[in-house]
Amino acid sequence: MRELLKCHEDLASRRPEDPAVIYRCEPHAGLVLTWADLCERAEQIRATLLAGGARSHCVSALVLNDHPDLIPTLLALWQLDSPPVLLDPQWGGRLTASILAHSTPVFRVDLVPSVTVTPLNRDTPSDVPADAVFIGYTSGSTGDPKAIVFTHERLYDGTLGNVSASLRLRGTRPSRLARSMRMSGSGVINLHHTWGAVLGACVVVLPELTVETARGYWSRLEENRIDQTFLVPQLVELVNRFSQDRDATVPGPLCFTGSAPLSPRTQERFQRRFGLPLFNAYGLSETSSAAFFGHLGDDGLATIRIGVPERVAARLRDAAGRIVEGPGEGEIELAGDQVFGGYYRNSAATAETLVDGWLRTGDIARRDGAGIHQLVGRSKDAVMKGSYAIYLTEVEEAAAAHPDVLEAAAVPLRLADSTEDIGCLVRLVDGSTAAADAILGWLRDALGARRAPCRVVLTAEPLPRGGQDKLVRPAVMARWDDLPNVPRTLRGSWETSGAGR
């Protein structure tokens, strides 16, 4: 129990003066927090929380910010046994309200401008999940909210797989991990700070990767002696396009990517230009951490394949529902100590996704005779936009709440840079003169820019529906693909974009 809290406390005891987090981005550039600093500040924040009205043994909420008090606040909440629901400040108001209504936290913690407590549902009984680290939502849909309870035991076990992969692929233990992405959710925490804590490695927080900052990416890694990085494919593409060349005389870091489908072209361009393997990791929030960490080819560079599972059991189930023995293709199912125990307060979704202890991922893979896996598609109605899993129904619900919208259908898109996004077909109520841009702006306000679709197209025709009035997804995508001057849908794009190395 509380393995991650014990991990931090053990590092503070054994290596109190070693750096745990170094900030190289404004407004905190130059700040160094040691392992002892994190735990000492956690005690101070714990007292502040209690004085502000926080309670122990209940669900809380934490607004995420790139602030030095983030990790100490998590430690303090773990000490109180008040695991937080993680809130991204860039979410829209409707999405945040939906998540708070579903999770009913007793209090909310803000980090900016200072640690403050706001009471929320003091009279609501709180069914705090046992051994919980935090609660992360993969979908804020009001009709089908999906939240993962990350427990200390499962997350620690999954992160041991991360550590094993670091040691196996690098040969030595990394000591400095770079974080170059915004603090937005559980994935960013787990792929950097949790990985670093279990490794006993320092996390260096660099400027967020953008078009403007990508140029100096490699020089920042070299200056800070970084020996491991993790970038989502969209950020890899920024480095490919806008960074200066890497100094090939300086040993390079161990490079991972994941959290969204990787284009073979993006991987090939990265490896050819910078001379480093880019390992294609794979996992879901439901597996607490990554489960596969890529595959090294005979030429010393990584292939597009995700490799073999590190610490989980994996099997494939074909379209007929049979377990695939040996080489073959089917939906990936995973089991093991790091696999979640079910969605928070959503037994129906749990029953559909977790069957006899096996997680149905919704992702399709092909396995060769050596047991090496390659992703070839996705069966779920979800899109990986950056590091977010966004369900099409979530966008449709938000659109349907607009007073001028009669019906809406979201479609998964593949953009020109091989990243994924969402389009939305909208039919207006009779007599409405609302413009597509107005609907799009409304969706951005409701969902936040990162979860909203990139394009809204108005249609006068009824949307294709089948039994029980459900949208017929293939027909919706076919209609979208018939439109002029729009990004193409994901139909068949896994196979047509190239098989990779």
Side-chain angles (χ1 to χ4, degrees), residues 296-427:
L296 189 66
D298 294 337
D299 59 359
L301 296 177
T303 73
I304 197 65
R305 292 180 282 183
I306 60 173
V308 298
E310 195 77 22
R311 283 177 68 88
V312 297
R315 68 186 187 186
L316 301 180
R317 187 182 295 275
D318 66 19
R322 299 181 296 256
I323 301 302
V324 178
E325 302 292 346
E329 182 176 307
E331 180 184 359
I332 304 173
E333 297 184 347
L334 301 173
D337 291 339
Q338 72 185 73
V339 174
F340 84 142
Y343 293 109
Y344 184 54
R345 297 179 174 176
N346 192 337
S347 56
T350 298
E352 291 178 0
T353 305
L354 198 62
V355 180
D356 296 329
W358 287 88
L359 170 66
R360 301 189 62 180
T361 67
D363 292 317
I364 309 301
R366 184 177 300 124
R367 184 177 59 214
D368 67 13
I372 299 169
H373 295 71
Q374 179 174 337
L375 295 175
V376 296
R378 181 181 296 120
S379 63
K380 285 184 177 180
D381 291 332
V383 165
M384 295 303 300
K385 185 176 179 181
S387 58
Y388 296 90
I390 304 172
Y391 289 83
L392 303 183
T393 53
E394 184 178 350
V395 176
E396 291 161 355
E397 286 179 2
H402 191 287
D404 287 321
V405 173
L406 178 62
E407 59 176 347
V411 294
L413 305 179
R414 174 82 72 189
L415 302 186
D417 63 359
S418 297
T419 59
E420 294 186 8
D421 214 307
I422 296 175
C424 192
L425 275 173
V426 169
R427 186 159 71 108

Side-chain angles (χ1 to χ4, degrees), residues 101-450:
H102 180 259
S103 57
T104 60
V106 173
F107 62 90
R108 186 188 76 224
V109 179
D110 291 272
L111 304 177
V112 177
S114 60
V115 176
T116 56
V117 177
T118 302
L120 295 177
N121 300 284
R122 299 191 66 85
D123 297 329
T124 301
S126 183
D127 53 338
V128 57
D131 197 39
V133 175
F134 39 64
I135 300 171
Y137 276 75
T138 64
S139 169
S141 164
T142 55
D144 191 27
K146 293 184 175 68
I148 312 299
V149 176
F150 293 85
T151 69
H152 285 270
E153 183 177 10
R154 291 193 182 100
L155 185 51
Y156 183 76
D157 188 272
T159 308
L160 288 177
N162 298 19
V163 171
S164 172
S166 294
L167 296 174
R168 174 172 56 81
L169 296 172
R170 190 172 184 272
T172 58
R173 183 177 293 266
S175 61
R176 289 194 169 201
L177 281 57
R179 173 160 74 81
S180 302
M181 60 183 76
R182 184 179 69 86
M183 178 52 67
S184 57
S186 59
V188 180
I189 295 173
N190 294 340
L191 292 170
H192 299 90
H193 297 277
T194 307
W195 201 334
V198 179
L199 263 174
C202 171
V203 175
V204 182
V205 183
L206 300 173
E208 181 181 351
L209 257 178
T210 63
V211 171
E212 291 75 20
T213 63
R215 179 174 175 81
Y217 178 70
W218 292 109
S219 62
R220 287 193 294 273
L221 297 190
E222 293 161 9
E223 290 165 5
N224 289 282
R225 306 190 307 280
I226 300 299
D227 40 27
Q228 181 171 305
T229 69
F230 192 106
L231 297 177
V232 297
Q234 188 173 3
L235 297 184
V236 173
E237 192 59 34
L238 280 181
V239 174
N240 283 348
R241 293 186 180 195
F242 299 109
S243 74
Q244 294 177 314
D245 290 337
R246 189 179 74 84
D247 184 352
T249 66
V250 177
L254 175 59
C255 300
F256 290 103
T257 187
S259 301
L262 175 65
S263 161
R265 182 181 62 184
T266 296
Q267 183 189 43
E268 181 183 4
R269 185 176 181 185
F270 179 96
Q271 297 188 138
R272 183 177 65 248
R273 183 174 176 201
F274 305 119
L276 296 172
L278 178 65
F279 291 98
N280 187 17
Y282 169 77
L284 302 91
S285 298
E286 289 86 345
T287 60
S288 303
S289 191
F292 296 73
F293 293 87
H295 172 256
L296 189 66
D298 294 337
D299 59 359
L301 296 177
T303 73
I304 197 65
R305 292 180 282 183
I306 60 173
V308 298
E310 195 77 22
R311 283 177 68 88
V312 297
R315 68 186 187 186
L316 301 180
R317 187 182 295 275
D318 66 19
R322 299 181 296 256
I323 301 302
V324 178
E325 302 292 346
E329 182 176 307
E331 180 184 359
I332 304 173
E333 297 184 347
L334 301 173
D337 291 339
Q338 72 185 73
V339 174
F340 84 142
Y343 293 109
Y344 184 54
R345 297 179 174 176
N346 192 337
S347 56
T350 298
E352 291 178 0
T353 305
L354 198 62
V355 180
D356 296 329
W358 287 88
L359 170 66
R360 301 189 62 180
T361 67
D363 292 317
I364 309 301
R366 184 177 300 124
R367 184 177 59 214
D368 67 13
I372 299 169
H373 295 71
Q374 179 174 337
L375 295 175
V376 296
R378 181 181 296 120
S379 63
K380 285 184 177 180
D381 291 332
V383 165
M384 295 303 300
K385 185 176 179 181
S387 58
Y388 296 90
I390 304 172
Y391 289 83
L392 303 183
T393 53
E394 184 178 350
V395 176
E396 291 161 355
E397 286 179 2
H402 191 287
D404 287 321
V405 173
L406 178 62
E407 59 176 347
V411 294
L413 305 179
R414 174 82 72 189
L415 302 186
D417 63 359
S418 297
T419 59
E420 294 186 8
D421 214 307
I422 296 175
C424 192
L425 275 173
V426 169
R427 186 159 71 108
L428 301 176
V429 297
D430 290 342
S432 172
T433 58
D437 285 347
I439 303 295
L440 180 58
W442 193 88
L443 286 171
R444 286 173 175 164
D445 289 339
L447 296 171
R450 291 176 183 262

Side-chain angles (χ1 to χ4, degrees), residues 453-465:
C454 68
R455 186 81 175 268
V456 168
V457 175
L458 302 182
T459 179
E461 298 296 323
L463 297 176
R465 295 181 181 274

